[in-house]
């Protein structure tokens, strides 16, 4: 029996494209839970929003969090609801002005 391909959400793909423009930090969770490790890292480093944190839980699993003015959110939620975050609206508008073939970072 043929397996049907899952439809990609345009809204989520757009959110993922916008999140690629945000600074990213990779950390290891260590003994803490991933969200606690992310909060401690933000506090210790004085990271200002918006930022994306990739927290390695173990060798197979990495959790993604988005640090916004409103707090810490799961990255998947932010991808699907990027229009709710004012700091991402600014990035979205800046990204639209890039010349064809240019990469924003």
């Amino acid at each position: 029996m043929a397996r049907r391909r899952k439809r990609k959400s345009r809204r989520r793909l757009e959110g993922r494209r916008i999140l690629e423009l945000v600074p990213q930090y990779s950390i290891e969770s260590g003994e803490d839970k991933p969200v606690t490790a992310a909060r401690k890292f933000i506090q210790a480093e004085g990271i200002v929003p918006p930022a994306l944190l990739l927290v390695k839980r173990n060798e197979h699993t990495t959790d993604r969090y988005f640090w916004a003015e409103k707090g810490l959110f799961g990255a998947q939620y932010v991808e699907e609801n990027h229009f709710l975050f004012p700091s991402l609206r600014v990035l979205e508008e800046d990204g639209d002005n890039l010349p064809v073939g240019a990469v924003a970072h």
Side-chain angles (χ1 to χ4, degrees):
M1 186 187 307
R3 187 177 168 113
R4 292 182 54 165
R5 289 180 58 193
K6 190 171 182 180
R7 184 178 168 273
K8 303 259 187 205
S9 163
R10 283 189 180 182
R11 188 167 77 177
R12 185 157 176 212
L13 289 174
E14 176 72 11
R16 183 166 284 217
R17 187 183 66 77
I18 293 168
L19 279 184
E20 288 175 358
L21 304 175
V22 173
Q24 293 187 10
Y25 301 89
S26 295
I27 62 172
E28 304 242 352
S29 63
E31 295 294 315
D32 295 321
K33 291 182 179 178
V35 70
T36 305
R39 290 184 186 281
K40 285 182 178 178
F41 181 77
I42 290 166
Q43 186 73 29
E45 299 294 319
I47 296 172
V48 292
L52 193 64
L53 285 97
L54 308 172
V55 184
K56 193 166 174 83
R57 194 186 317 177
N58 56 43
E59 61 180 303
H60 304 293
T61 310
T62 301
D63 293 332
R64 298 167 54 237
Y65 297 101
F66 178 72
W67 176 233
E69 295 84 0
K70 303 174 185 178
L72 194 62
F73 296 86
Q76 184 174 339
Y77 172 81
V78 176
E79 286 173 358
E80 294 169 358
N81 300 288
H82 57 88
F83 50 86
L84 297 175
F85 296 88
S87 60
L88 291 180
R89 278 194 221 125
V90 173
L91 289 174
E92 181 178 18
E93 292 163 5
D94 290 347
D96 290 343
N97 297 331
L98 290 174
V100 177
V103 179
H105 285 287

